[in-house]
C-alpha cells in the first residue's frame, strides 16, 4: 500500500487485517476505503477527517472539498464506514447481520479510522473532524472516545445518540427491506425490488422537508423512482441493513448519561442543525450542544431538510457551512 | 330501516342502492355506516355531521361526543366513509382498487352522506360539519360542493388539498402493503403480515411527533407492535389501500385553483392545525384558512402530532377543541 498522488480521484483501500468488533465477531481481512485530497504537511498537523454518511462512498462526499473544506490548506481524508459496500461489508462475505449476531458500532468504525490515520498517515492528532448525518455520529464518537486526538469537531445534522423517533424511522426502513419476498429470514435470495421501492419512498419522505416538495410538478412516484431509488438500489440490501443497525445502536454514552459523556468532549465544537431536518431535530441537537463546553450552535436555514447538511447542488447552504468551518478553524 | 334510540351505542346502516362513483364504477347495493348521538329537534336544525378519518369506524370517534360536541344540544351523526370496512368497501366484494379502475373520491363520500341526511333525517342544512384528518377533508369537500348546506365548518388537522409530501407519505404506506409476498398485483392472497408491519412502523413515525417519543422507555418495536399494528391489522388490506387512494386524490379544487375554490366557502370556518402535525402542516393549513372568508385559525399545541386532533385520551387537547367549537357555534 503506497500513498499515490493525493488528487482524490480514486478510492484507496487500507488493509486492517482481521478486526474484532465490539460485538465479539471478527471481520476477516478487514479494509477501509478512503480518498485523500490535498497534501499532508511536514508536521502532519493538517489532516481533516470526514467519515461517511449512510450509504455514502467517498466519491459521494467529494464535492465538499473546495466549497466547504479548503484542499490548499488541509489534507482531507474521507473514510468510508463499514457496510458502505467498499469498506468491509456483509456483501463481501465474512460478515453477518444482527440475525447472525453481528453489529458494527461507531466505536468500531472509529477504531479502524484511527488505525488508518496512524499507520497510513502517521497522524495522531486532528485539527478537525467534519461529519454529516452518520458522519456526525462518528465525529461525536471520536471526540468522546479519543478526546486528546480531536482538536475541533463539526457535527452537521447528526446527534450523539440516536433518538427513539429516529430509531423508529430506521426500523421502518429495515422492516421495508425484510418484508420483501426475497428476504429469507437471514438474508436475501435476490434483489428485493419491492422492499427497495418502499425503502426509497420512506427515505424520500423523511430526508427532505415537507415544504421542499411544495412546488414539485413532476409526478412524485416518478421523482422517487428516478431521484431516490437508484441511491439505494446500487447497494447490496444486506449492507443497507448493516448500516441501519449501526445507526440505531449509536450512543456515545453507551446507555449511560448522555450529558456526562458529552461533557468529556474537549474539542472546540460546532453543532449545525438543519432548520427543517425531520429526524435530527434542531431541539435535539441544541440540547446536545449545550452539554459540550463552549460549543457553537448553528441553524442552517434550508428547505432541503436533512439533506441541507449535504448540499452538493445548493450554493447558499455550502456557503453557510464554509463560514461555520472557517469560524471554527480560527477559534 | 328505522331510527332506533339515539344512544349512539350501535352502528346503523343506511342503504343507498346502487351508487355510481365519479370514477365511473358503480357500487352495488351501497351502504353507509353511521351512529347517532343526541336527538334531532323538531326543526331539524341541530344535526352536526362528523365524517370519519382514515381507518376509523364510528365507534372510534364516539369519544368526541361529550368532551367536544354536546349531545344534549346537538344531534351528532358520525358517518363512515367508503372503504372503512363497515360502509361499502372493497372487502365486501363488488368494489375494486385502482388496479381495476376504481377510485372513491370525497365527492362520492359527501354525496352519500348528503342522501343519508336528507332521506334518513330530513335534514338539508347543517349547523356544523366537524372533521379530523380525512374527516376534515370531507368537511372541506362538503363546504365547497354544497355551500348552501353548511353553516359552519370545523376542520381539524386536515387540508382542502392533499399536498405532494402528504401524498408521498401515503404512497409509502401503499407501497408497504403491495410489497408483501401476499400481493398478487391485483389484490391480496392472504394477510400481508410483513406489509402491515412496515405500514405500522411508517404510520407510527408520522402520526405522532418526534418529541412524543422522547421519554419512551418501552422498546419501540414492542410499542409499535402493541399500540399501532392492531389498528391496521383489523382492516382488510384492500380497504386500507382504497382509503389511501381517496386520501391522495383529495382536492376540493379538482386540479384547479385552490384559492378560488376555497373562496367559494360561505360557512363560518374554524381551521385547527396541530402544532406538531408532521403531515398536515401549520403553514399549509394556515394558508388555506387565509383563502376562506373570515376563517378562524387555531393552533392546537400538543406533542401528540397529527393525533392531537383525535385526543381520545388527553384532556388538554379535548378542552381546547371544545373551546374552539363553542366559540364557532356562537359566531
Amino acid at each position: 500500500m503506497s500513498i499515490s498522488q493525493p488528487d482524490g480521484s480514486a478510492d484507496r483501500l487500507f488493509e486492517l487485517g482481521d478486526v474484532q468488533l465490539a460485538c465479539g465477531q471478527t471481520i476477516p481481512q478487514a479494509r477501509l476505503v478512503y480518498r485523500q485530497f490535498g497534501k499532508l504537511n511536514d508536521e502532519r498537523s493538517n489532516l481533516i477527517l470526514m467519515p461517511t454518511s449512510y450509504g455514502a462512498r467517498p466519491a459521494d462526499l467529494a464535492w465538499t472539498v473546495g466549497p466547504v473544506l479548503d484542499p490548499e490548506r488541509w489534507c482531507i481524508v474521507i473514510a468510508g464506514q463499514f457496510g458502505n459496500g467498499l469498506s468491509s461489508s456483509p456483501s463481501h462475505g465474512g460478515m453477518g447481520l444482527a440475525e447472525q449476531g453481528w453489529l458494527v458500532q461507531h466505536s468500531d468504525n472509529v477504531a479502524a479510522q484511527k488505525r488508518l490515520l496512524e499507520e497510513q498517515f502517521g497522524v495522531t492528532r486532528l485539527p478537525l473532524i467534519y461529519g454529516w448525518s452518520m458522519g456526525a455520529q462518528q465525529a461525536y464518537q471520536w471526540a468522546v472516545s479519543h478526546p486528546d486526538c480531536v482538536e475541533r469537531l463539526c457535527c452537521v445534522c447528526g446527534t450523539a445518540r440516536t433518538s427513539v423517533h429516529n430509531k423508529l424511522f430506521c426500523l421502518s426502513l429495515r422492516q421495508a427491506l425484510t418484508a420483501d419476498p426475497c428476504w429469507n429470514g437471514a438474508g436475501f435470495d435476490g434483489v428485493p425490488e419491492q422492499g427497495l421501492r418502499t425503502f426509497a419512498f420512506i427515505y424520500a419522505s423523511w430526508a427532505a422537508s415537507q415544504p421542499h416538495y411544495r412546488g414539485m410538478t413532476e409526478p412524485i412516484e416518478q421523482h422517487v423512482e428516478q431521484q431516490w431509488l437508484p441511491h439505494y438500489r446500487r447497494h447490496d440490501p444486506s449492507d443497507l441493513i448493516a448500516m441501519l443497525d449501526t445507526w440505531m445502536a449509536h450512543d456515545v454514552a453507551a446507555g449511560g448519561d448522555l450529558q456526562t459523556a458529552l461533557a468529556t468532549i474537549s474539542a472546540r465544537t460546532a453543532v449545525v442543525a438543519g432548520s427543517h431536518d425531520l429526524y435530527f431535530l434542531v431541539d435535539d441537537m441544541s440540547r446536545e450542544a449545550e452539554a459540550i463546553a463552549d460549543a457553537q450552535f448553528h441553524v442552517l436555514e434550508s428547505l432541503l431538510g436533512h439533506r441541507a447538511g449535504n448540499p452538493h447542488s445548493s450554493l447558499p447552504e455550502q456557503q453557510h457551512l464554509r463560514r461555520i468551518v472557517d469560524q471554527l478553524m480560527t477559534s
Side-chain angles (χ1 to χ4, degrees), chain A residues 25-192:
Chain A
Q25 302 281 358
T26 296
I27 306 176
Q29 296 297 307
R31 67 190 206 194
L32 276 198
V33 67
Y34 69 97
R35 288 196 183 198
Q36 176 190 353
F37 303 80
K39 289 184 179 169
L40 190 62
N41 62 15
D42 292 342
E43 299 79 22
R44 303 177 185 278
S45 65
N46 71 333
L47 193 152
I48 291 178
L49 175 68
M50 180 162 30
T52 55
S53 52
Y54 184 75
R57 294 160 183 176
D60 302 321
L61 302 177
W63 71 266
T64 313
V65 178
V68 178
L69 303 173
D70 181 1
E72 298 299 317
R73 182 175 174 197
W74 307 107
C75 170
I76 302 149
V77 173
I78 307 181
Q81 65 173 316
F82 289 130
N84 80 342
L86 296 178
S87 295
S88 293
S89 300
S91 60
H92 301 169
M95 289 178 70
L97 299 176
E99 283 74 3
Q100 292 86 39
W102 284 75
L103 172 66
V104 173
Q105 297 182 58
H106 278 321
S107 56
D108 300 313
N109 281 314
V110 166
Q113 290 160 19
K114 192 163 185 288
R115 282 189 51 201
L116 164 69
L117 299 184
E118 286 176 1
E119 298 172 25
Q120 185 72 10
F121 293 92
V123 166
T124 54
R125 195 165 163 82
L126 299 160
L128 174 67
I129 301 181
Y130 177 96
W132 169 65
S133 197
M134 285 188 82
Q137 294 178 344
Q138 291 165 77
Y140 272 124
Q141 187 63 59
W142 259 98
V144 168
S145 297
H146 307 290
D148 294 339
C149 300
V150 189
E151 293 175 6
R152 291 179 198 80
L153 198 61
C154 187
C155 295
V156 182
C157 300
T159 54
R161 169 187 279 170
T162 298
S163 72
V164 177
H165 180 272
N166 195 194
K167 189 174 173 194
L168 182 51
F169 161 56
C170 291
L171 282 170
S172 73
L173 292 169
R174 195 187 207 283
Q175 168 64 24
L177 292 176
T178 62
D180 190 275
C182 289
W183 174 254
N184 61 27
F188 294 93
D189 292 328
V191 178

Side-chain angles (χ1 to χ4, degrees), chain A residues 231-309:
Chain A
H231 287 284
Y232 310 112
R233 189 178 263 144
R234 68 175 180 163
H235 285 279
D236 184 289
S238 294
D239 296 350
L240 291 175
I241 285 181
M243 287 182 285
L244 282 176
D245 288 345
T246 302
W247 184 341
M248 286 191 275
H250 171 60
D251 179 5
V252 298
D257 183 66
L258 182 60
Q259 310 296 307
T260 304
L262 291 171
T264 66
I265 294 178
S266 56
R268 289 287 292 156
T269 300
V271 173
V272 187
S275 61
H276 286 68
D277 193 323
L278 288 169
Y279 44 88
F280 294 115
L281 301 186
V282 170
D283 281 359
D284 289 336
M285 293 194 66
S286 161
R287 197 169 293 130
E288 290 184 350
E290 284 169 15
I292 301 168
D294 299 324
Q296 305 159 7
F297 179 68
H298 304 270
V299 175
L300 190 56
E301 286 295 335
S302 171
L303 295 187
L304 290 175
H306 178 59
R307 292 193 161 186

Side-chain angles (χ1 to χ4, degrees), chain A residues 11-28:
Chain A
D11 288 331
R12 311 285 166 193
L13 288 178
F14 176 69
E15 303 290 346
L16 292 150
D18 293 353
V19 166
Q20 183 166 13
L21 301 173
C23 71
Q25 302 281 358
T26 296
I27 306 176

